[in-house]
Amino acid sequence: MDSISNRHLRHLEAEAIYVLREVAAQFERPHLLFSGGKDSIVLTHLSQKAFHPGKIPFTLLHIDTGHNFPETLQFRDDLVQRLGVRLLVRYVQDSIDRGRVVEETGPTASRNGLQTVTLLDALTELRVDAAMGGARRDEEKARAKERFFSHRDSFGQWDPKNQRPELWNLYNGRKNSGEHFRIFPISNWTELDVWQYIAHEEIPLPNLYFSHTREIIDRGGILLAASDVVPPLPGENVADRVVRFRTIGDMTCTGAVESHASTIDDIIEEVAAARVTERGTRSDDRRSEAAMEDRKRQGYF
């Protein structure tokens, strides 16, 4: 990697580590929201570096829709064991069983939106005052409005017009009882930055991110992985395609891209030339022009 790129990545790394240390200093019960995707994996890696030689001082929290890729869950469990960190899992299925949410029906049904209630219930149960995640401003226009320290009211809701200024790298974590913050240490990173950092740090990832042959259903231009939770609808065909996933989430709404990128260097070249954002493969973001912002106002991460 050339020195200019290296300096850029080191600046982003230093910024993220500074934010992570501020969280540890300002909050009593911070948790790191871990999805098993590349961004939360990078955030976990940064947390290791921020507090080395000590252990990561954050509990990892995973909101499991029940429709995750098996490869993601296996990678999550292996990582937690290797790092010796604490992992808590809260399940959307439990929210459904308790009547807190109602499962969607129909051809586009997904549990992705339902996890908002499960997340808010978990934050209340665990009395979390800071929930960190790997969201980045380049992902989606609603993400671009976020601060590093994003205030949430006592209902867990987000008001983009009522956020605090962050001048001179000063982060205001003061809050009232029942309120909390969502923290985004890698806000200023791009998808390309993430991949270049993964390459530079040699960070392991789930094999879903790399080219492989998989049974795929083309549903309205979204390439979904055929499975028990994504069966073919009448008129749809299941076909073997060579694909990879740019983002990893609920199987019912996370689309693949056709790709022969089998190494990180291949992926970096592919991302550099891409003209569609990684969330362009997510069917849940296509439900409306303001789909992400609507979910964030309700408490979605």
Side-chain angles (χ1 to χ4, degrees):
M1 183 176 297
D2 63 75
S3 58
I4 294 176
S5 296
N6 190 45
R7 287 200 301 270
H8 172 66
L9 291 179
R10 288 309 173 203
H11 170 77
L12 292 174
E13 179 188 67
E15 180 181 64
I17 286 175
Y18 176 79
V19 172
L20 288 166
R21 289 172 176 167
E22 281 292 298
V23 171
Q26 293 195 42
F27 297 97
E28 296 180 8
R29 289 175 295 278
H31 284 57
L32 193 160
L33 298 186
F34 188 84
S35 67
K38 67 182 186 311
D39 299 312
S40 61
I41 292 169
V42 165
L43 194 54
T44 304
H45 178 83
L46 288 163
S47 298
Q48 281 185 281
K49 299 191 78 169
F51 301 100
H52 181 79
K55 288 189 175 182
I56 297 174
F58 312 125
T59 296
L60 272 57
L61 174 62
H62 182 208
I63 304 302
D64 188 345
T65 67
H67 294 165
N68 294 101
F69 290 93
E71 297 96 324
T72 304
L73 299 181
Q74 185 62 57
F75 184 91
R76 177 200 70 186
D77 294 343
D78 292 344
L79 179 68
V80 167
Q81 183 176 16
R82 175 165 55 85
L83 298 182
V85 295
R86 186 183 182 212
L87 169 72
L88 297 177
V89 183
R90 294 297 180 266
Y91 299 92
V92 170
Q93 184 62 54
D94 290 341
S95 298
I96 295 171
D97 293 343
R98 292 196 300 265
R100 294 283 292 143
V101 294
V102 178
E103 183 126 39
E104 294 181 0
T105 59
T108 62
S110 174
R111 289 185 176 182
N112 200 53
L114 304 185
Q115 64 184 316
T116 295
V117 172
T118 309
L119 171 61
L120 292 177
D121 286 349
L123 297 182
T124 299
E125 170 204 348
L126 302 170
R127 296 186 299 145
V128 174
D129 51 3
M132 294 168 285
R136 310 184 321 270
R137 293 192 180 109
D138 76 318
E139 289 181 273
E140 205 271 345
K141 55 189 176 183
R143 300 282 200 204
K145 299 179 182 180
E146 290 281 17
R147 302 286 200 270
F148 281 101
F149 277 38
S150 184
H151 177 262
R152 297 297 195 270
D153 64 20
S154 58
F155 297 100
Q157 295 177 331
W158 172 65
D159 181 0
K161 297 180 181 179
N162 188 29
Q163 296 297 314
R164 300 167 183 180
E166 295 180 338
L167 306 175
W168 306 294
N169 295 327
L170 297 176
Y171 302 115
N172 181 356
R174 288 178 292 180
K175 62 179 184 59
N176 295 318
S177 178
E179 299 175 345
H180 72 277
F181 281 82
R182 307 287 173 86
I183 312 293
F184 305 103
I186 61 171
S187 285
N188 286 337
W189 298 44
T190 66
E191 183 186 10
L192 186 58
D193 292 330
V194 170
W195 280 108
Q196 289 177 331
Y197 187 75
I198 288 169
H200 188 268
E201 297 288 302
E202 299 181 347
I203 300 173
L205 292 176
N207 57 18
L208 290 165
Y209 282 111
F210 302 94
S211 177
H212 60 286
T213 300
R214 200 178 197 99
E215 291 188 335
I216 292 293
I217 298 169
D218 187 337
R219 184 165 295 169
I222 300 292
L223 305 182
L224 299 175
S227 67
D228 292 341
V229 297
V230 186
L233 301 174
E236 290 182 337
N237 296 315
V238 177
D240 285 343
R241 307 275 281 270
V242 179
V243 300
R244 74 175 191 88
F245 292 86
R246 291 176 68 185
T247 178
I248 294 177
D250 190 291
M251 293 178 68
T252 61
C253 61
T254 303
V257 294
E258 292 193 277
S259 171
H260 290 279
S262 58
T263 68
I264 291 180
D265 287 341
D266 292 340
I267 292 173
I268 288 172
E269 289 185 15
E270 186 177 89
V271 169
R275 292 298 175 263
V276 176
T277 68
E278 59 195 300
R279 291 197 69 93
T281 62
R282 296 287 293 267
S283 63
D284 53 325
D285 287 349
R286 297 189 179 188
R287 293 191 175 191
S288 76
E289 284 293 321
M292 172 63 81
E293 183 152 343
D294 290 343
R295 295 201 304 276
K296 286 176 66 63
R297 286 180 184 274
Q298 296 164 3
Y300 184 80
F301 203 80

